[in-house]
Structure formats: structure tokens, C-alpha cells
């Protein structure tokens, strides 16, 4: 070792000397770059529980945040149990995001906002059901999805539902009374009993196995003669715990579950989740993918609206029209199958692109379908829409006004039928919607016939959108290269698309690893079911089928 060191030293001493040069002036150190927040990251403002109610009242009355977009329960561990609120102003087209929390896990209480926005009633019951947070002043603190004798709150991080809830074969108890919690001026909390149905109420069960509830949905309906006096929805018969499952899945794995929600909006649901992840992770998507996604979303919309028309006709006894719709829907499913390999569960959108490029026959078949559908659409008007029986059963029946649809958060066709301009493709363009010209369909009547007409006219507008894009699909990759393991920076993110039934939103909270800490879906159908008591009040029991059909909820989307 010593010989080696000596040789190296001698070699260094005998090496030719380098010519000395003047040192270059030192460059100034670069300023540390600030990471810009992702486009869809929510800047959450914390409010203490005692300050929440007054600030919410101010935001609604003075700042005109009249649309409660989401109300999402959270378990932040040592930080407490809490709620994330996103509010939207329909006049300013602006969003604000807030959060609140309580560290008391044994008896968590937060103030209610159910008297400010109608939809908060069922949203807060959902949070109570899964997180155990009781809302002070809420008139109905019953579970909404799980059995009333369920033990624990399964969305809490420390809950072990399988240990405390054996398989029960007995009938589910359904209470006719509920508890309201109130905080007194001295800070104490008292309870009062509120009545759902009295012994004198004549209550009829519609569902959960009724074909006209469009899924396993249970309505308890109080009647006076043939008039509806009250509807109490019982949900959760097909609840699969999708939001809970997502917490143990990587982001690519979570994609598959979105299509099991609203299966008539499968393409749009998965688009929303992919878009939320892509924006949060900074993944760029090619323009080719944006065109393909837009075309596929519009085909999904036509598919859904055709089935809406068909099922409404079947519910009202027009079987021939039902068959007409299924005849035309098959054409769309054939196009889906050729490119995606699926007809209902499509598995097409991926993080950064789509699963496969469009089929060589895709453009030709799409261009053949457009005139075919336009021609056949006239048959829908001839056989049903302009039928005097259908008109008598739909016009003036089941009216919701603009203020009511905003308060209930009834987006999509139900909201636009009452005059609420809420189409995200227009107001918050995404994908290739800023490159097409189409009309947002709105009516002002707010009745069942207006809801039907919105969907009928939207089929025409979707055909127009596809027609503008199909010949201009740009060249480029159909999939962006992504890392094998996708991690999203810590934060809370929200993205939404215009689904077949309205705003389908994805609220994602990340701790910076490969699993979401919380992944919540804004259901398009839950607000629609929440509004059924209001929209059906004083209508005939026979009208319930027509109203439910035109409101157009899909139960798996509700039972997340």
C-alpha cells in the first residue's frame, strides 16, 4: 500500500503543470423555485367549529355561494374528525373550500348547515353514518346507508367493522322517530325526539324490489288517499364500500371501481378520476387523447339518454318505444365493444391516456351512426314525446323551481329543466369541449316534461359535438408514459366532469404516497333522491313513477 502511494505521489510530481488561468466570476445562486399548486388543488381554509355556522351563513347570504357542491367526511387521525366543504357561486362562477374538525372522537359534534342548503340534510346523514359525527341542529340523525343496528363507523381509520358486525339474517329495523341534538347557551347538549311517521300515517313501501325505482331503492311513502304527503328514502341496499376500498388501492387500481358506480356514465366517471390524478400529479395528456375522451363521453351521454327514454316509456306503459330505444343503443355499444372490448364496463380511460387507440373502423362507424340516430330520433317524438297520454302525465307534474334545484344540488338535466345553467362543459371546459360549438339546453318549467325534453335535445347536441370532432382527431400518442408507481403530492384535490346525470366530482386527499388517504365521489344521483320528497309532495302515487323516471337517478351511483 505504501509503495502504491509513493508511485502515485511521484507520478503527480512529474506530471506537466497546467497553465494558470484567471478564475471565472462566480454566478449568483439561483433563487429557490416555488412549486406552483396543481390546477385542481383546493386551498382549504380552516374554521373552528364554533365559527363555522356564522361564516357559512355569511358566504351564502353576502357572497352568494348558493350551491353546496360537496360535503365530505374526513378522518385526520390526531387532528380529529372533520368535514371538507366546497361551495360554488352560480352568479360569480367561483369556488371556495373550507374545512372544520373536532378532536373529540368519542362524542364528535359539529354545527349543521342543513337549514342553509337542502342537500346538506342527506350529506350530513352520510357523514354521521360513516364517521359518527353528529350535527347540532340537524332534524334527522339516522343512518342513511347502513342498517340502523350497525355497530361502529366504517370510514374511520381505526374502525374494524368485520369484528363487530356479524352477518345478520333478521329484518332491518326501521325507526319512525329520530333524534335531534341541540347546543344550549350554557354549552350543554340536549336531545329532542322528532317524528318521521305517526301511527295515523298510511305508509306504503315502494321498493326495494320495484322495477320503477331503477335499482334496489326503498321509498317509504305516506299517502292521504292517492296523494303523496311524504317520502322517506332508505338507501344502501347495494352499498359496496367503494370509497373505503379505494384507500387500500393504488391509483391505477382504483380506476376499475369508478365504472361500477353509475354504469350509464362509466366513461365519464373514469374520465373524472383520471383527470383529477393527472392534474394533481402534473401528467400531460396528448391532444389526441382529449379528442377521443370527448367523443367517448358524448357517446356515453347518448347511450344514457336513450336508456333514460326507454325506461321512462316502459315505466309508463309504452313498451314499443322502449324497444325502439334499445334498438338504437345497440349501435353505440357495438362501437364501444370494437374499440374498448366492453359494452357496459368499458375500462378505457387510463392515467395519461386511453387503454388502446381507436379501432380502424371507428371513424367510419361513427360517421354512419350520426345520420342514423338523427333519423330515428324523430320516431321517439312520434311514438311518445308528442303522445297526448304522455303529455298529460308529464306536463305540470313534479315541478322543481330554480332555487330548489340549486339548494338540493340537482345538477345535469334536472337542474337545467328548471332554468339553472350548470353545464360544466360550458362553464368549466375540459378535454376538447373548448373546441366545439354546442348549445346548453335549458327550460324554465321545471316539470317532468321539461326534464324529458332536456335529454331529448341533448342527444342532438351530443351528435353535433361528435360530428365536429370526428374528422379532426389529431395525430399523437394515445398514452403518455408515466412512472410505474404514481404518487400524488400531499394535498386535497377536486375535479369534475359533466356526467350523464350532472356533475360527477372526485375529491382526492393525498398524504404523498401511492394510495389515496381519502377518495370521495360526488354522486350525481344522491341529490336527485334527496329531492324526491319535495318534488313528489301532493302528487298522485301514480305520478311517482313518471317523476322518478324523469329525475333519472342510478342507484349504484348513490350507494358508493
Amino acid at each position: 500500500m505504501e509503495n502504491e502511494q509513493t508511485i502515485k505521489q511521484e507520478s503527480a510530481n512529474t506530471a506537466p503543470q497546467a497553465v494558470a488561468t484567471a478564475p471565472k466570476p462566480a454566478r449568483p445562486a439561483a433563487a429557490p423555485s416555488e412549486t406552483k399548486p396543481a390546477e385542481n388543488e383546493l386551498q382549504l381554509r380552516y374554521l373552528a367549529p364554533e365559527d363555522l355556522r356564522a361564516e357559512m351563513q355569511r358566504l351564502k347570504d353576502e357572497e352568494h355561494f348558493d350551491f353546496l357542491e360537496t360535503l365530505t367526511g374526513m378522518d385526520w387521525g390526531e387532528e380529529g374528525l372533520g368535514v371538507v366543504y366546497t361551495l360554488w357561486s352560480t352568479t360569480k362562477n367561483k369556488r371556495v373550500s373550507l374545512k372544520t374538525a373536532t378532536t373529540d372522537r368519542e362524542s364528535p359534534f359539529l354545527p349543521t348547515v342543513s337549514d342553509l342548503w337542502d342537500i346538506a340534510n342527506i350529506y350530513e346523514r352520510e357523514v354521521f353514518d360513516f364517521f359518527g359525527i353528529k350535527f347540532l341542529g340537524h332534524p334527522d340523525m339516522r343512518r342513511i346507508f347502513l342498517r340502523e343496528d350497525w355497530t361502529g363507523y366504517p370510514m374511520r381509520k381505526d374502525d374494524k367493522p368485520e369484528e363487530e358486525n356479524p352477518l345478520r339474517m333478521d329484518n332491518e329495523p326501521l325507526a319512525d322517530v329520530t333524534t335531534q341534538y341541540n347546543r344550549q347557551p350554557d354549552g350543554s347538549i340536549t336531545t329532542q325526539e322528532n317524528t318521521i311517521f305517526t301511527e295515523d300515517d298510511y305508509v306504503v313501501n315502494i321498493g326495494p324490489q320495484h322495477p320503477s325505482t331503477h335499482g334496489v331503492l326503498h321509498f317509504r311513502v305516506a299517502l292521504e288517499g292517492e296523494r303523496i304527503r311524504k317520502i322517506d328514502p332508505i338507501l344502501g341496499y347495494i352499498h359496496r364500500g367503494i370509497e373505503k376500498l379505494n384507500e387500500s388501492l393504488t391509483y391505477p387500481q382504483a380506476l376499475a371501481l369508478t365504472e361500477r358506480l353509475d354504469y350509464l356514465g362509466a366513461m365519464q366517471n373514469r374520465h373524472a378520476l383520471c383527470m383529477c390524478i393527472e392534474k394533481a400529479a402534473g401528467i400531460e395528456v396528448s391532444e389526441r387523447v382529449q379528442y377521443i375522451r370527448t367523443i367517448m363521453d358524448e357517446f356515453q351521454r347518448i347511450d344514457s339518454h336513450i336508456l333514460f327514454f326507454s325506461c321512462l316509456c316502459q315505466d309508463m306503459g309504452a313498451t314499443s318505444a322502449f324497444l325502439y330505444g334499445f334498438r338504437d343503443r345497440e349501435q353505440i355499444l357495438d362501437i364501444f365493444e370494437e374499440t374498448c372490448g366492453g359494452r357496459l364496463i368499458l375500462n378505457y380511460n387510463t392515467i395519461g391516456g386511453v387503454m388502446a387507440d381507436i379501432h380502424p373502423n371507428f371513424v367510419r362507424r361513427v360517421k354512419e351512426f350520426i345520420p342514423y340516430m338523427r333519423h330515428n330520433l324523430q320516431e321517439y317524438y312520434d311514438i311518445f314525446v308528442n303522445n297526448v297520454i304522455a303529455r298529460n302525465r308529464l306536463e305540470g307534474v313534479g315541478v322543481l323551481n330554480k332555487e330548489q334545484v340549486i339548494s338540493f344540488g340537482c345538477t345535469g338535466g334536472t337542474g337545467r329543466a328548471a332554468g339553472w345553467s350548470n353545464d360544466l362543459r360550458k362553464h368549466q371546459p375540459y378535454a376538447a369541449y373548448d373546441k366545439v360549438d354546442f348549445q346548453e339546453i335549458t327550460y324554465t318549467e321545471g316539470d317532468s316534461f321539461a326534464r324529458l325534453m332536456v335529454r331529448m335535445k341533448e342527444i342532438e347536441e351530443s351528435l353535433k359535438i361528435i360530428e365536429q370532432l370526428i374528422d379532426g382527431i389529431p395525430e399523437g400518442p394515445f398514452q403518455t408514459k408515466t412512472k410505474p408507481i404514481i404518487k400524488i403530492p400531499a394535498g386535497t384535490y377536486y375535479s369534475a366532469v359533466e356526467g350523464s346525470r350532472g356533475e360527477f366530482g372526485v375529491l382526492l386527499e393525498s398524504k404523498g404516497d401511492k394510495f389515496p388517504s381519502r377518495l370521495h365521489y360526488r354522486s350525481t344521483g344522491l341529490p336527485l333522491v334527496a329531492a324526491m320528497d319535495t318534488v313528489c309532495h301532493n302528487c298522485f302515487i301514480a305520478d311517482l313513477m313518471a317523476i322518478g323516471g324523469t329525475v333519472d337517478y342510478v342507484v349504484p351511483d348513490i350507494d358508493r
Side-chain angles (χ1 to χ4, degrees):
M1 181 66 68
E2 291 179 359
N3 292 339
E4 288 182 7
Q5 290 178 347
T6 304
I7 294 169
K8 287 179 180 178
Q9 185 64 43
E10 290 176 354
S11 174
N13 292 337
T14 58
Q17 297 295 315
V19 179
T21 57
K24 294 182 179 180
R27 293 182 180 180
S33 60
E34 294 185 6
T35 305
K36 286 183 64 176
E39 177 188 341
N40 62 336
E41 184 173 0
L42 298 179
Q43 304 302 315
L44 295 174
R45 177 161 63 97
Y46 176 78
L47 289 173
E50 58 270 20
D51 301 327
L52 177 74
R53 186 65 179 69
E55 178 61 9
M56 287 296 208
Q57 182 89 56
R58 188 192 70 81
L59 286 170
K60 186 185 180 194
D61 294 345
E62 299 179 17
E63 301 289 334
H64 306 292
F65 284 95
D66 47 353
F67 171 33
L68 177 59
E69 199 169 26
T70 65
L71 190 158
T72 308
M74 294 285 185
D75 183 355
W76 288 306
E78 294 182 357
E79 296 178 31
L81 298 166
V83 174
V84 169
Y85 304 85
T86 59
L87 309 177
W88 183 266
S89 170
T90 60
T91 56
K92 300 178 180 178
N93 285 332
K94 180 182 176 183
R95 178 182 290 118
V96 65
S97 309
L98 311 100
K99 69 175 183 178
T100 190
T102 172
T103 55
D104 187 349
R105 299 183 71 88
E106 296 300 320
S107 298
F109 286 98
L110 291 174
T112 187
V113 294
S114 60
D115 55 329
L116 300 178
W117 297 278
D118 287 320
I119 188 56
N121 185 299
I122 206 165
Y123 281 169
E124 290 178 350
R125 286 181 65 188
E126 180 183 23
V127 173
F128 166 67
D129 201 355
F130 294 123
F131 292 89
I133 300 172
K134 302 180 182 71
F135 291 87
L136 297 167
H138 191 290
D140 185 6
M141 277 281 92
R142 289 177 298 157
R143 291 186 183 272
I144 184 67
F145 288 103
L146 303 177
R147 290 172 58 111
E148 292 183 16
D149 56 359
W150 184 272
T151 302
Y153 305 100
M155 290 297 288
R156 291 191 183 188
K157 301 294 186 183
D158 55 358
D159 190 73
K160 298 178 180 179
E162 68 280 358
E163 294 181 4
E164 301 175 338
N165 294 278
L167 177 63
R168 296 183 174 92
M169 301 302 294
D170 53 334
N171 291 332
E172 177 183 2
L174 296 175
D176 287 335
V177 294
T178 184
T179 302
Q180 176 175 329
Y181 299 89
N182 301 309
R183 189 182 296 278
Q184 301 304 317
D186 63 358
S188 62
I189 294 175
T190 59
T191 61
Q192 73 180 61
E193 192 175 89
N194 294 333
T195 302
I196 308 300
F197 296 113
T198 68
E199 291 184 359
D200 296 330
D201 286 326
Y202 184 76
V203 180
V204 175
N205 289 290
I206 306 294
Q209 294 175 320
H210 194 288
S212 293
T213 57
H214 295 196
V216 200
L217 177 63
H218 182 189
F219 288 130
R220 291 201 294 169
V221 185
L223 298 174
E224 186 176 325
E226 291 189 35
R227 297 281 183 180
I228 297 172
R229 293 297 179 234
K230 186 171 187 176
I231 291 181
D232 179 37
I234 310 296
L235 310 177
Y237 284 91
I238 56 170
H239 194 276
R240 290 138 311 151
I242 284 177
E243 293 188 3
K244 183 68 175 178
L245 287 170
N246 281 328
E247 295 177 7
S248 59
L249 298 176
T250 64
Y251 292 106
Q253 289 172 334
L255 297 180
L257 300 183
T258 57
E259 299 181 327
R260 276 78 177 172
L261 297 168
D262 177 358
Y263 45 80
L264 298 176
M267 198 72 78
Q268 301 147 349
N269 299 349
R270 192 150 159 154
H271 185 175
L273 179 55
C274 288
M275 187 167 70
C276 186
I277 295 170
E278 287 159 1
K279 289 183 176 181
I283 298 171
E284 294 289 336
V285 177
S286 72
E287 194 174 13
R288 180 177 183 82
V289 169
Q290 302 289 25
Y291 272 63
I292 293 172
R293 284 180 175 178
T294 305
I295 293 170
M296 290 298 194
D297 281 5
E298 292 311 304
F299 265 121
Q300 186 76 79
R301 196 178 320 279
I302 298 171
D303 165 22
S304 175
H305 287 355
I306 289 176
L307 196 63
F308 155 83
F309 168 82
S310 302
C311 292
L312 176 63
C313 295
Q314 177 73 2
D315 292 345
M316 296 175 64
T319 306
S320 296
F322 169 81
L323 296 174
Y324 281 25
F326 267 75
R327 171 199 65 189
D328 299 333
R329 181 170 174 261
E330 283 296 304
Q331 305 297 319
I332 297 175
L333 301 188
D334 288 345
I335 294 173
F336 278 160
E337 185 177 20
E338 197 167 51
T339 285
C340 309
R343 298 171 69 84
L344 187 70
I345 305 301
L346 302 166
N347 295 313
Y348 192 53
N349 284 309
T350 61
I351 300 170
V354 291
M355 188 67 70
D357 208 350
I358 55 177
H359 192 274
N361 295 335
F362 182 79
V363 173
R364 176 183 59 80
R365 296 192 66 169
V366 169
K367 293 171 78 170
E368 291 172 352
F369 174 80
I370 293 171
Y372 166 88
M373 190 64 221
R374 282 180 175 147
H375 175 269
N376 286 3
L377 198 58
Q378 185 57 44
E379 294 181 347
Y380 296 12
Y381 285 87
D382 295 339
I383 197 171
F384 184 78
V385 177
N386 294 329
N387 186 294
V388 64
I389 299 173
R391 292 244 175 168
N392 287 339
R393 291 195 62 186
L394 296 174
E395 290 179 342
V397 174
V399 177
L400 283 171
N401 61 40
K402 183 177 178 180
E403 290 72 25
Q404 287 173 324
V405 294
I406 294 174
S407 185
F408 275 108
C410 296
T411 54
T414 300
R416 290 191 285 276
W420 179 18
S421 175
N422 58 25
D423 195 329
L424 296 183
R425 298 173 298 172
K426 283 285 189 183
H427 299 288
Q428 302 173 53
Y430 55 94
Y433 285 109
D434 58 344
K435 297 177 174 63
V436 292
D437 177 40
F438 67 100
Q439 181 183 355
E440 179 181 8
I441 306 298
T442 58
Y443 283 72
T444 56
E445 293 83 356
D447 61 2
S448 296
F449 189 72
R451 291 190 284 271
L452 168 64
M453 289 306 299
V454 167
R455 270 81 173 193
M456 298 300 293
K457 295 296 184 183
E458 283 188 351
I459 292 176
E460 299 176 28
E461 295 304 310
S462 291
L463 292 171
K464 187 189 299 183
I465 291 171
I466 295 170
E467 191 172 43
Q468 293 175 65
L469 295 176
I470 192 62
D471 280 329
I473 301 176
E475 295 296 326
F478 64 85
Q479 175 66 53
T480 300
K481 282 190 176 182
T482 59
K483 294 180 180 178
I485 297 177
I486 295 173
K487 295 183 179 181
I488 291 177
T492 306
Y493 307 87
Y494 183 78
S495 292
V497 301
E498 184 64 31
S500 302
R501 261 149 293 283
E503 179 179 335
F504 181 84
V506 177
L507 190 143
L508 189 160
E509 182 164 280
S510 170
K511 300 298 184 185
D513 52 24
K514 63 180 181 179
F515 306 104
S517 174
R518 179 81 164 97
L519 192 53
H520 171 70
Y521 299 110
R522 185 197 182 275
S523 164
T524 57
L526 187 58
L528 303 177
V529 168
M532 285 296 286
D533 180 40
T534 300
V535 70
C536 292
H537 183 73
N538 214 32
C539 293
F540 288 110
I541 184 66
D543 295 331
L544 176 61
M545 307 312 162
I547 295 169
T550 58
V551 164
D552 192 29
Y553 45 75
V554 171
V555 177
D557 168 63
I558 300 164
D559 287 359
R560 302 174 312 288

